[in-house]
Amino acid sequence: MPVDPAATGAAAASPAGRAPAMQHRITLTINGTRRQMEVAPWTTLLDLLREEMELTGTKKGCDHGQCGACTVLLNGQRINSCLALAVTKDGAEVLTVEGLAAADGTLHPMQAAFVEHDAFQCGYCTPGQICSAVGLLKEGHARSAEEIRELMSGNLCRCGAYPNIVAAIEQAMQQAGVAAR
Amino acid sequence: MPNSETHFGAPRSRVDGRLKVTGAAKYAGEFTAPDLAHGYVVSSAIAKGRITAIDTAAAEAAPGVLRVFTHENRPTTAWLNSSYRDEVAPPGKPFRPLYDAEVVYSGQPVALVVAESFEAARDAAALVRVTYEHAPHETNLRNVLAEAYVPPKERPGIDPPPNPRGDAAAAYAAAPIKVENGYHVAPEHHNPMEPHATTVVWEAGGKLTIHDKIQGAQNTQSYVTSVFSLPKKDVRVIAPFVGGAFGSGLRPQYQLFLAVMASLELKRSVRVVLTRDQMFTFGYRPDTIQTLALGADREGRLQAVMHEAIAGTSPFEDFQEVVVNWSGLAYHCDNVDLKYKLAKIDTYTPLDMRAPGAPLGMFALESGMDELAHALKIDPLELRLRNYAEMDQNTGRQFSSKELRAAYRLGAERFGWARRSHEPRSMREGRELIGWGMATGVWEAGMQQASARATLTAGGKLEVAIATADIGTGTYTILTQIAADALGLRMEDVTARIGDSALPTSPIEGGSWTAASAGSAVQAACYAVRETLLNYARRMENSPLANAGLDHVVFTAGHIALRSDPSRSVSFADAMRAGGVDRIEQEETTAPDKGNMAKFSPYTHAAVFAEVRVDEELGAVRVTRVVDAIAAGRIINPKTARSQIIGGVVFGIGMALTEESMLDHRLGRFMNHNIAEYHLPVNADIREIDVLFVDEEESKANPIGVKGLGEIGIVGTAAAIANAVFHATGKRIRELPITLDKLLD
Ligand code: FES
Ligand code: FES
């Protein structure tokens, strides 16, 4: 059955008559593990991760693409997973905050930098910030604190940890050999 | 007597940091259970009236739906209003979700749809049809000012304005220099990044484990036991992590009631998570309209202070916060008249939001002081020094400590304040006008009674436990530091347990009192452990510590050693063996010293300096530099402390420039109820924030000499920015936020 994601994403838009949801088989590689799964057409990647896979490291702050708490890396690119319907991502590789540290528990340099610089308080925006920052480094656009601030502005932090987030990213950038400033 | 402190005062990384950066920290809506059902709230579409019909048939027929709860079928809960009153409730009748057909505010929950999946519940919620009979509503505070009243019942813990002193009206009339103006700060919503959520895990037999977004697990526990008439032993609240709250988690919110109700009825586990929109359907920083009049002599010495505030509250509760009292204690003045009134509007009850009341009142006072400085051609900092308050004239008490002078001096030095030119519009770079402004901040340094337990094992591991919370403040970390120091342990050997109603009694985490309250209790419990340990060691055969008192020994590296001869020592394990125990557990309760409280006023102070750049053509304001110099007693952890202040300053920047919950009075509803239209500061809005802690010896406010930092960072910030905007542009904006339309006029 063809799926039009635009027509099935919103709350009231499931089919009239409300027959049990048609499930779609997709394959995702999540944090390095390939998994086949059945998903309803309206399930977002975020809800799939949080509710079905119990990967609650990825956060829901708004469900509307306004806060960045749900940022994950999809095929290496940072995206808001609340805006992505899982069915449309068949075959993709998803990296969440749970998949960043090494198998032996060693933190990813970005995670370590966040701890060292106290780049969070409540921690709720943090997984999104970290995934976003990892994506930012990969993009290679940010060369200065100014640019980091601009390019990290899709990730809100109500605790206001911004100066420390910038400092942590600068450190991780330097470690990765990307010139900051 | 105290051990040498290795951790207290040292910048330590958060002990819960690893959990937070790996996604392992679990928040209220992330706990689960095999039988978990999902609730989705239907919100009222009108601000006032009655529900005449509610049609749930289609929703109930939708696949996966278990039950639709409305006022028509909700189970019976407690009768008395008092049963719904929580630990920090203001006077009035607390809101009861799904109580009856009355609608008292827009966004009020009118139904809960519970389904097998989140999507099914959300989908079915859209099928609930509600028919209303509208009644006229009033949400515009300005229309009800004539009905303003002095709250007949005080909210516990909130001081009403002090009695007038001197004769403010006469002194004002006689003063050669006067400023009198109205001030307004827009209502704001807390908007923690984690939406409010409750997961109720139901066990056969009806025992509930509740994961709630709350700033005090025991507040949720007592609310649930009293509303649902459950025995305490059947309700355990576990909330180890809270994704920001800023006051929004002080009181149990309606998702808690709904989740517990559904769980008890359906006899299964239920989770209810609010949407971001619904985060605008409960408490907020109240709409508060202020007038301030300052009279001064020609040297700038205050002759009269008159400050009045009228704040909006709900039809059902008299929310109160301290708005005007600050004007009676921030500066010396003998003629002071302060008034605080409420007026009812048809919204939900306002709710404490970071430094409730203080940034509002201090915005007026500190803007007024800046206006006075300008009128007198006196440097704004110099004006504050001329009016420095040596005592708290509101109560006639001495300050427990007050190093605000040092904060002014060091903050000014760091900022380069001496280079400021007095005239507005005198600094520019290209098309940007540059302005420098400053303000004073003040906040209470409270302490509450609290209990903590410390347990030391023979293996040298220490656990400290107290039912307080860590809402991002760093509670886990500072309690670990305090405990480790008390017994001379490494932080790795100490575990702090909090966020659990089963732990020793603690007040909610709020009011900037957690470090003082929980910290003192934890230290006392650890000290009790030390004493027991020493007693065991002394009683050992041929004990090298036989005659040693606590003053003669140090606790270090798992040993008790003589101070005078550290080679003479007993290991913790040997002492416990001698005592015939394999663990020592002590619980202690600490409370403020009554004698000190009768004599001294404990306050935290701040001197905030801000630089803004204003695009002259576009009116856009950027805060390019903030220096916040803080006098807050002893600092337990400079790293997390700095973060607390930075967070407060960012809140202040939001208040000054962007944050505004806009009411559509026609609909009686907050209309920008999402974070695309409610503008929280983003990373690009925040530049340099320099935090300084000045040395301040504090020995009276609490046993550990700290003052709390969660709130002081916001208090003067918005005022300093508004003053900087005036200095840049020559425009005095007395209505926050300073959006560009106000500068382009
Ligand atoms: S939850 Fe996806 S952007 Fe907010
Ligand atoms: S750390 Fe709390 S929202 Fe960013």
Side-chain angles (χ1 to χ4, degrees):
Chain A
M1 175 183 167
V3 177
D4 176 5
T8 52
S14 65
R18 305 195 136 66
M22 165 75 83
Q23 300 281 308
H24 297 257
R25 176 173 297 262
I26 60 167
T27 306
L28 292 175
T29 304
I30 298 176
N31 297 332
T33 309
R34 221 176 115 87
R35 296 163 192 267
Q36 278 211 344
M37 56 199 94
E38 303 270 322
V39 296
W42 47 75
T43 300
T44 62
L45 180 56
L46 175 61
D47 287 333
L48 179 73
L49 291 169
R50 283 174 66 83
E51 304 296 336
E52 305 296 327
M53 326 239 18
E54 290 184 27
L55 288 171
T56 52
T58 306
K59 304 304 182 194
K60 185 187 280 192
C62 69
D63 219 9
H64 283 69
Q66 299 168 347
C67 75
C70 63
T71 307
V72 298
L73 295 157
L74 187 96
N75 299 327
Q77 282 200 323
R78 47 182 178 154
I79 63 154
N80 289 335
S81 62
C82 70
L83 294 183
L85 290 169
V87 281
T88 67
K89 304 301 171 196
D90 189 18
E93 218 166 284
V94 180
L95 186 61
T96 73
V97 73
E98 288 96 340
L100 284 176
D104 68 353
T106 308
L107 294 180
H108 183 284
M110 192 64 79
Q111 291 172 312
F114 266 63
V115 173
E116 191 183 328
H117 290 271
D118 208 33
F120 51 87
Q121 295 180 33
C122 76
Y124 198 79
C125 73
T126 312
Q129 302 278 1
I130 291 175
C131 287
S132 191
V134 169
L136 174 78
L137 253 61
K138 201 167 271 167
E139 289 159 19
H141 302 314
R143 296 276 155 192
S144 63
E146 189 68 31
E147 286 168 350
I148 293 173
R149 284 195 278 264
E150 189 63 38
L151 295 167
M152 286 297 292
S153 281
N155 291 86
L156 302 186
C157 176
R158 184 51 153 167
C159 295
Y162 298 127
N164 295 351
I165 291 170
V166 173
I169 296 174
E170 282 184 294
Q171 174 177 312
M173 264 167 83
Q174 271 152 19
Q175 281 169 357
V178 188
R181 258 173 230 291
Chain B
M1 155 112 167
N3 251 6
S4 64
E5 288 170 337
T6 20
H7 306 296
F8 200 120
R12 297 283 187 245
S13 292
R14 281 170 206 264
V15 297
D16 52 340
R18 187 185 178 89
L19 291 176
K20 285 177 174 170
V21 300
T22 55
K26 272 208 185 304
Y27 299 81
E30 297 173 349
F31 289 85
T32 191
D35 64 337
L36 187 71
H38 299 256
Y40 196 93
V41 178
V42 180
S43 309
S44 82
I46 65 164
K48 194 173 176 179
R50 292 179 58 78
I51 299 170
T52 52
I54 186 157
D55 178 0
T56 58
E60 268 158 359
V65 171
L66 296 163
R67 185 82 64 89
V68 180
F69 292 92
T70 69
H71 67 280
E72 289 174 350
N73 68 352
R74 69 150 172 92
T76 312
T77 51
W79 288 10
L80 300 175
N81 279 317
S82 58
S83 304
Y84 295 77
R85 208 161 281 143
D86 67 276
E87 208 177 308
V88 284
K93 301 178 178 180
F95 174 70
R96 302 181 182 194
L98 308 187
Y99 184 63
D100 57 18
E102 288 311 306
V103 175
V104 291
Y105 74 96
S106 177
Q108 170 180 327
V110 295
L112 179 79
V113 179
V114 185
E116 295 288 353
S117 75
F118 164 70
E119 286 98 336
R122 180 179 60 184
D123 185 25
L127 300 174
V128 175
R129 291 282 162 260
V130 189
T131 315
Y132 302 96
E133 184 185 294
H134 292 247
H137 63 259
E138 181 60 80
T139 51
N140 191 343
L141 180 62
R142 291 196 151 75
N143 292 343
V144 292
L145 294 178
E147 289 140 47
Y149 57 94
V150 174
K153 207 165 164 203
E154 282 169 26
R155 181 176 177 206
I158 302 297
D159 288 334
N163 290 330
R165 59 178 182 258
D167 185 342
Y172 182 73
I177 311 291
K178 301 182 182 47
V179 296
E180 180 174 3
N181 287 294
Y183 298 89
H184 182 244
V185 178
E188 296 178 331
H189 278 83
H190 308 70
N191 274 308
M193 292 317 299
E194 176 202 22
H196 276 240
T198 304
T199 304
V200 180
V201 178
W202 188 88
E203 258 177 58
K207 258 191 194 304
L208 306 181
T209 304
I210 301 176
H211 306 286
D212 188 29
K213 183 181 174 101
I214 191 76
Q215 291 174 241
Q218 288 165 337
N219 197 19
T220 290
Q221 184 193 37
S222 60
Y223 176 85
V224 169
T225 52
S226 104
V227 169
F228 295 95
S229 309
L230 296 171
K232 213 169 158 184
K233 64 173 177 42
D234 285 352
V235 179
R236 178 155 175 200
V237 179
I238 301 180
F241 293 100
V242 179
F246 316 106
S248 66
L250 289 174
R251 304 187 65 187
Q253 293 305 339
Y254 64 76
Q255 92 286 343
L256 168 70
F257 175 99
L258 295 174
V260 173
M261 171 198 74
S263 174
L264 291 171
E265 272 304 287
L266 298 171
K267 302 202 183 325
R268 62 185 283 184
S269 303
V270 174
R271 179 194 294 155
V272 179
V273 182
L274 299 189
T275 64
R276 181 55 58 180
D277 289 23
Q278 287 164 345
M279 291 299 287
F280 290 77
T281 61
F282 57 96
Y284 62 99
R285 199 192 283 284
D287 202 355
T288 308
I289 293 171
Q290 307 181 61
T291 52
L292 175 87
L294 301 178
D297 67 16
R298 293 197 189 283
E299 279 72 52
R301 279 181 290 263
L302 287 171
Q303 305 299 307
V305 175
M306 293 186 283
H307 191 172
E308 178 171 354
I310 299 178
T313 190
S314 71
F316 42 95
E317 285 172 315
D318 276 353
F319 175 80
Q320 293 157 61
E321 58 184 13
V322 174
V323 177
V324 294
N325 305 11
W326 316 103
S327 292
L329 69 84
Y331 299 109
H332 180 92
C333 184
D334 296 327
N335 302 294
V336 175
D337 193 356
L338 309 173
K339 291 192 172 74
Y340 176 68
K341 292 181 185 161
L342 302 177
K344 292 203 175 290
I345 52 173
D346 294 310
T347 66
Y348 192 82
T349 310
L351 181 56
D352 301 294
M353 180 166 167
R354 205 166 201 164
L360 308 182
M362 290 300 279
F363 168 60
L365 179 68
E366 291 300 277
S367 296
M369 289 296 279
D370 203 65
E371 301 190 44
L372 207 55
H374 181 70
L376 286 155
K377 296 197 189 312
I378 296 178
D379 179 86
L381 175 54
E382 171 59 25
L383 182 74
R384 277 140 178 114
L385 290 169
R386 285 187 195 175
N387 289 286
Y388 197 82
E390 299 291 354
M391 64 179 293
D392 169 6
Q393 286 182 288
N394 280 354
T395 59
R397 295 181 192 135
Q398 298 297 319
F399 290 109
S400 63
S401 59
K402 181 177 175 183
E403 294 297 339
L404 177 59
R405 259 200 201 92
Y408 285 140
R409 183 167 45 79
L410 294 169
E413 267 169 35
R414 179 73 64 88
F415 189 83
W417 183 259
R419 296 195 308 274
R420 180 180 183 268
S421 67
H422 185 76
E423 275 312 299
R425 302 182 67 85
S426 56
M427 289 159 45
R428 82 160 57 226
E429 204 177 292
R431 63 179 215 190
E432 278 188 325
L433 296 163
I434 301 171
W436 289 0
M438 61 88 51
T440 305
V442 55
W443 183 252
E444 301 159 337
M447 180 196 182
Q448 303 279 318
Q449 178 171 314
S451 305
R453 185 172 61 228
T455 312
L456 180 71
T457 64
K461 301 281 181 204
L462 176 67
E463 181 192 272
V464 290
I466 173 168
T468 184
D470 188 332
I471 57 174
T473 41
T475 315
Y476 279 108
T477 311
I478 59 156
L479 296 185
T480 304
Q481 289 174 273
I482 291 169
D485 272 343
L487 279 143
L489 296 171
R490 300 176 311 160
M491 283 175 67
E492 300 87 281
D493 292 326
V494 179
T495 310
R497 278 184 59 205
I498 60 175
D500 182 342
S501 63
L503 301 178
T505 310
S506 163
I508 45 124
E509 171 161 57
S512 288
W513 63 49
T514 300
S517 315
S520 297
V522 160
Q523 190 185 60
C526 293
Y527 281 0
V529 167
R530 286 195 333 189
E531 239 177 280
T532 310
L533 203 55
L534 179 61
N535 280 338
Y536 291 147
R538 279 203 307 224
R539 280 196 257 128
M540 281 168 67
E541 223 169 296
N542 300 324
S543 172
L545 308 175
N547 300 313
L550 266 177
D551 291 351
H552 307 124
V553 298
V554 287
F555 292 75
T556 176
H559 287 72
I560 316 173
L562 268 188
R563 232 177 246 280
S564 54
D565 179 5
S567 71
R568 295 169 65 81
S569 71
V570 172
S571 76
F572 290 1
D574 285 346
M576 281 196 218
R577 204 167 305 125
V581 297
D582 60 357
R583 57 191 355 236
I584 297 173
E585 186 175 300
Q586 304 277 185
E587 188 168 324
E588 288 291 322
T589 299
T590 46
D593 181 292
K594 288 212 176 72
N596 278 342
M597 290 308 101
K599 279 191 291 222
F600 299 100
S601 279
Y603 282 97
T604 311
H605 291 89
V608 198
F609 299 83
E611 175 184 275
V612 300
R613 285 170 178 254
V614 184
D615 185 306
E616 206 180 358
E617 285 164 49
L618 301 177
V621 182
R622 290 187 299 139
V623 179
T624 42
R625 214 151 55 86
V626 174
V627 172
D628 202 354
I630 308 286
R634 304 178 68 210
I635 302 302
I636 304 171
N637 185 337
K639 191 186 256 193
T640 53
R642 176 173 170 269
S643 291
Q644 286 276 88
I645 300 302
I646 289 177
V649 169
V650 172
F651 252 70
I653 293 174
M655 174 180 273
L657 298 182
T658 60
E659 289 187 42
E660 179 170 16
S661 297
M662 301 177 195
L663 272 160
D664 178 336
H665 296 304
R666 217 165 28 91
L667 296 170
R669 170 188 313 169
F670 288 107
M671 58 180 151
N672 54 338
H673 46 75
N674 58 69
I675 42 185
E677 292 165 287
Y678 181 99
H679 293 152
L680 305 174
V682 303
N683 205 321
D685 295 325
I686 306 303
R687 309 295 157 111
E688 221 179 294
I689 300 174
D690 205 344
V691 180
L692 265 107
F693 296 105
V694 307
D695 288 337
E696 189 176 67
E697 209 38 65
E698 170 61 61
S699 58
K700 303 176 187 88
N702 55 74
I704 59 173
V706 304
K707 282 186 172 176
L709 297 163
E711 289 159 294
I712 186 65
I714 186 179
V715 179
T717 302
I721 292 167
N723 293 342
V725 167
F726 172 75
H727 186 234
T729 63
K731 289 199 170 120
R732 177 67 63 186
I733 309 298
R734 301 186 185 90
E735 304 235 340
L736 300 183
I738 306 174
T739 45
L740 35 87
D741 50 305
K742 293 174 187 163
L743 289 174
L744 292 177
D745 274 359

